[in-house]
Amino acid sequence: MPDSYQYKRLSKDDAVVLLIDHQAGLISLVQDYSPNEFKNNVLALAELAKFFNLPTILTTSFENGPNGPLVPEIKEFHPNAPYIARPGQINAWDNEDFVKAIKDTGRKQLIMAGVVTDVCVAFPALSALEEDFDVFAVTDASGTFSKDVRDAALLRMQGAGVQMMNWFSVACELHRDWRNDIEGLGALLSKYIPNYRNLMTSYFATQK
């Protein structure tokens, strides 16, 4: 590891969550995760954004066409979030309203997930790097046609400087210390990781 390396941790005070094109039509293209697993991961990321009070921006692409509407549960978690329905731009970064919504937050850490990984995540991720944002791609809340396609997209982004994370590691890095809120985060993790309930059951038993 080079001496110049700097570990840039996700910060609740500097991060914004971008949920890109999690649309009913596009999600049917996802083959690198099972449907239930993928939906679970996407909703976990959406809820942890709410848990940590992170600014969240929602965007869709050509939703009146075959891509379809945004998954409704995401909107339920973030009813007041900026919602950018792009009329046609494939790369969300090509939409001025989307970029303005990001820059208006004043934050530099972009936690990004979308469908499909190789287009809807990779394109804006690479574009954001050009403008000196720190980009964190949430791999398990992003999906595409196959594992091979996913791996190629992740390598492309990683080579450019995008950091790869899963939703669980995002939650833990933001939380920093269990003592900040044991039961709150524990309940969220238990909701989306069934086996995590065993850990919380053990914890509650020690509190009696």
Side-chain angles (χ1 to χ4, degrees):
M1 184 177 294
D3 294 337
S4 60
Y5 179 79
Q6 181 182 4
Y7 175 22
K8 295 183 178 180
R9 302 187 188 189
L10 284 172
S11 167
K12 292 183 289 186
D13 299 319
D14 198 29
V16 55
V17 174
L18 311 178
L19 298 177
I20 304 172
D21 301 353
H22 291 97
Q23 296 166 246
L26 288 175
I27 282 180
S28 66
L29 301 176
V30 174
Q31 299 295 315
D32 50 334
Y33 295 99
S34 70
N36 288 339
E37 181 183 16
F38 184 63
K39 185 174 183 179
N40 180 80
N41 296 341
V42 172
L43 296 184
L45 178 61
E47 186 163 0
L48 75 84
K50 179 180 179 181
F51 178 82
F52 288 109
N53 295 313
L54 300 180
T56 301
I57 298 170
L58 314 177
T59 186
T60 58
S61 172
F62 198 42
E63 64 180 40
N64 293 326
N67 293 349
L70 184 73
V71 173
E73 292 93 335
I74 295 176
K75 187 66 173 175
E76 290 170 7
F77 280 128
H78 301 283
N80 300 315
Y83 182 89
I84 314 299
R86 308 191 313 279
Q89 298 96 341
I90 294 174
N91 182 349
W93 208 266
D94 290 339
N95 183 281
E96 294 180 359
D97 292 334
F98 179 71
V99 176
K100 182 178 185 301
I102 295 169
K103 292 183 177 180
D104 283 350
T105 69
R107 300 187 174 211
K108 296 295 288 184
Q109 295 182 335
L110 309 185
I111 301 171
M112 187 180 298
V115 182
V116 291
T117 309
D118 42 311
V119 174
C120 304
V121 180
F123 292 0
L126 298 173
S127 299
L129 288 176
E130 279 194 316
E131 299 197 30
D132 296 324
F133 286 90
D134 295 320
V135 183
F136 303 79
V138 186
T139 60
D140 58 349
S142 304
T144 189
F145 304 101
S146 70
K147 292 181 180 179
D148 288 343
V149 174
R150 176 183 69 196
D151 291 347
L154 299 185
L155 286 171
R156 183 186 187 192
M157 288 188 284
Q158 185 179 51
V162 177
Q163 297 193 48
M164 304 299 156
M165 301 184 73
N166 63 348
W167 72 262
F168 179 78
S169 62
V170 169
C172 292
E173 193 158 278
L174 288 168
H175 201 54
R176 292 282 201 279
D177 189 319
W178 271 112
R179 292 167 294 183
N180 289 330
D181 185 346
I182 297 171
E183 296 184 11
L185 184 61
L188 189 153
L189 297 180
S190 297
K191 180 177 178 180
Y192 296 101
I193 306 175
N195 289 340
Y196 207 91
R197 294 173 191 153
N198 297 332
L199 280 74
M200 295 309 296
T201 298
S202 175
Y203 164 74
F204 287 126
T206 65
Q207 303 306 302
K208 294 181 180 179

